[in-house]
Amino acid sequence: MRTFQAVTGLLGLFVCGSAGLAAAQSPSIDDLINLKRAGAPAISPDGRQVAFTIRETNWDENAYETEVWLADAASGSPRQLTNARKSSMQPAWSPDGAWLAFVSDRDGKRQLYRIAIAGGEAEKLTSGDEGISNFAWSPKGSQLAFTMTDAVTEAMKERDQQWGEIRIEDEDQRYTHLYVLDLASKAITPLTKGAFVVGSFNWSPDATKIAFDHRISSDAGEGGSADISVVTVATAAREAIVTQAGPDSNPQWSPDGSQLAFVSSMSKPFYFYANSVIATVTPGQGNIQSLTEAFDEDPGLVAWTRAGIFFSASQRTWAYLYGLNPATKQVTRHAVREQWIGGSFSLTPDGTTVAFIGSSATEYPDVYVAPVPTMAARKISDTGSQIASWPKHVRETMRWKSQDGAEIEGVLHKPADFQAGRRYPLLVVIHGGPTGISRPVPYGSVGYYPIDAFLAKGALVLEPNYRGSAGYGEKFRSLNVRNLGIGDAWDVLSGIDALVQQGLVDKDRVGSMGWSQGGYISAFLTTRHADRFKALSVGAGISDWMTYYVNTDIHPFTRQYLKATPWDDPKIYADTSPMTYIKQAKAPTLIQHGEDDARVPIPNAFQLYQGLRDQNVPVQLSIFKGFGHGLTKPKANRGAMQQNLDWFSKYVWGASESR
């Protein structure tokens, strides 16, 4: 169990933790995992206070746990608001600012609670057999809407008793539906039912209706079926509003309740890499209007306030808040400064004040608040104090030309004691996605690859935003369509070449690693370009696209990127599969994979492992039991990072393994 101490600010919380390291002492893997991280900022309706969460590491329970904190928007001075076993998360203000509702799993299942800002204990509001997913206050503050997954059916229970545990693929569906809790009576009323899954939702300003998105099942591959409907709270009568092809989601009412804004693919068939847009519709009329066709990136709809629509978006390695005038379609960027990373934006109803998580190449992510017109940000949390005495490694962006002339950008990490004129070992860390993005953030990489430990050993680290990455527009995201692996490898190899040509890197001491799509690219490099690397690490990576296609939970991904099924075009599946080139493999390869991975199922790992063994290539396969596509517990993260540190220490530095 965690122990807590009474503190008046975040700095007090951290003095006994990692921030106590001696000046400039390099952090250990455990120090990196122990870093406390701020998240989920929620600004009060009057803009005077901000609630947020702090995530901590509980080694005894092998869990990451969060609690809700509260800070004055003008002065900071944060204080801890919740203090319970397990986690309290998703803080949300009541319209009058007197209460915070949140979700907690302190009693097992995720249930809904509220706590008075003036003081007192948290009140438990729900106690269902299934956990709460999302929730939202009604504009009048007398009700809370929430989503909850249906219980296991009696028929499924009876079948399990007769046959043992069994799952019938595509038939054993459990749906998620919308409910309303009346705070005075504590009565819970179901608002939706049927064969669909409710996702995000939003109350109408007069509290009589709720708009929500829904898809035909919870299967990850059914995201393209998302449509939008409106339900009347008093009668549970449902009206379909948006039913066009492709995903339509995240509805937000206009302040006068006459229109809905939402995120839409506008029926584009290849929505995995094409730009989505913000669109509006008038319920009952069906006239859908796209507002952001001229904005060349995916917009993340935040809110429709009295000051207009707001959304977030990436621009290269940076990220900002944007304002959208729905009448003129004019987009305005609201930036703290040019090189800034903002996210998790929370706006007051009048759109004048925003709270968010902000960071930069030299600033650890913390909670900020700012007036929207000026974005003169004030930091109100101080998690960055943890790394004050840690080495000041340098993070900068660099650009280079790939083999086909495409401009590629990446984040280059240099050790704090970097010396010009010296050639360094290079380790390449490749993000997933492919529409992920690497950003320059201090001590931001925790999970699989100990970037800062590599820097402390005297390496450079390159994180390439290869073709397909977010932040560079639709054309760039489309460059790896029917070119997966092949073009991605060009981008990695040309980045290495650029650093070699600049005299920064020893070409004979290069390693590469990545998770998910980054693992796939590393697997491709392992088999097709192994002569360029001393060692590689493949995390949850695809080794054969046909194996992936028939096993994954997200079949449309492959059909959209390769523009075919393996039965329609076996050649493109072979050309882009690492296993096709297995006989060229020679570099020592570490394979890490979750045992229960549904996104990139484990047969991909076994294929690559056996193929490398048959070529007498040094290989290790580590299966993380009980995990899916990501490693979500601290001990597993410790294991993955230590294995990678040991693997590259052995093959790049020639050191003996420490574990």
Side-chain angles (χ1 to χ4, degrees), residues 1 189-190 209 237 240 291 307 325 345 354 373 401 518 567 613 637:
M1 293 289 293
T189 304
K209 297 179 178 180
L291 301 183
N325 184 318
F345 296 102
V354 62
K401 292 289 186 179
W567 345 116
R613 288 190 66 189
N637 293 142

Side-chain angles (χ1 to χ4, degrees), residues 34-341:
N34 281 333
L35 283 173
K36 298 173 178 66
R37 298 186 181 272
I43 195 164
S44 63
D46 61 8
R48 295 180 179 179
Q49 299 183 87
V50 180
F52 57 94
T53 59
I54 294 291
R55 193 194 81 171
E56 303 179 51
T57 302
N58 184 336
W59 289 104
D60 292 339
E61 297 294 330
N62 190 24
Y64 296 111
E65 299 179 350
T66 65
E67 295 294 348
V68 178
W69 287 66
L70 187 64
D72 183 90
S75 63
S77 302
R79 63 184 176 93
Q80 189 171 335
L81 194 64
T82 65
N83 183 354
R85 64 186 296 271
K86 296 191 175 181
S87 290
S88 300
M89 63 206 90
Q90 298 173 235
W93 291 90
S94 62
D96 62 3
W99 297 84
L100 270 175
F102 61 93
V103 170
S104 177
D105 59 355
R106 61 186 66 181
D107 293 330
K109 298 285 188 180
R110 289 164 48 99
Q111 302 296 342
L112 195 54
Y113 293 76
R114 69 171 177 175
I115 189 169
I117 300 302
E121 296 296 321
E123 175 189 3
K124 188 175 183 180
L125 299 175
T126 63
S127 56
D129 292 336
E130 301 300 323
I132 303 299
S133 301
N134 299 313
F135 72 91
W137 288 90
S138 73
K140 296 181 179 179
S142 59
Q143 297 172 300
L144 282 159
F146 63 89
T147 52
M148 182 172 61
T149 300
D150 295 341
V152 177
T153 66
E154 290 302 319
M156 292 170 65
K157 291 179 182 178
E158 183 178 347
R159 187 188 66 199
D160 286 352
Q161 288 179 347
Q162 292 181 340
W163 297 351
E165 292 187 12
I166 186 173
R167 185 188 74 207
I168 301 177
E169 192 73 10
D170 294 329
E171 293 186 24
D172 285 344
Q173 297 290 346
R174 295 171 63 195
Y175 300 103
T176 300
H177 285 293
L178 188 62
Y179 298 80
V180 165
L181 165 69
D182 181 81
L183 288 169
S185 65
K186 300 301 189 292
I188 295 175
T189 304
L191 290 185
T192 64
K193 61 181 179 179
F196 59 89
V197 172
V198 175
S200 60
F201 56 90
N202 186 245
W203 285 88
S204 64
D206 62 5
T208 63
K209 297 179 178 180
I210 298 176
F212 62 97
D213 65 53
H214 51 93
R215 51 191 179 133
I216 62 176
S217 80
S218 59
D219 292 347
E222 299 293 358
S225 68
D227 288 329
I228 294 173
S229 295
V230 168
V231 62
T232 300
V233 175
T235 64
R238 182 162 60 97
E239 178 186 6
I241 304 298
V242 180
T243 59
Q244 62 187 357
D248 299 287
S249 62
N250 192 16
Q252 299 285 323
W253 289 94
S254 61
D256 64 2
S258 65
Q259 291 183 294
L260 285 168
F262 59 99
V263 177
S264 177
S265 69
M266 295 302 288
S267 300
K268 293 177 183 176
F270 303 109
Y271 52 82
F272 273 92
Y273 52 83
N275 281 341
S276 58
V277 300
I278 293 175
T280 56
V281 65
T282 301
Q285 296 184 15
N287 51 329
I288 297 173
Q289 182 181 21
S290 175
L291 301 183
T292 58
E293 290 288 352
F295 186 81
D296 188 20
E297 250 308 319
D298 280 325
L301 180 57
V302 176
W304 195 339
T305 73
R306 294 194 291 273
I309 296 172
F310 288 90
F311 66 90
S312 61
S314 296
Q315 293 290 287
R316 293 189 174 270
T317 61
W318 314 108
Y320 312 100
L321 177 70
Y322 292 84
L324 169 64
N325 184 318
T328 65
K329 301 185 182 181
Q330 180 180 352
V331 173
T332 304
R333 190 180 75 172
H334 300 287
V336 175
R337 55 181 178 270
E338 188 69 28
Q339 296 186 342
W340 183 259
I341 303 163

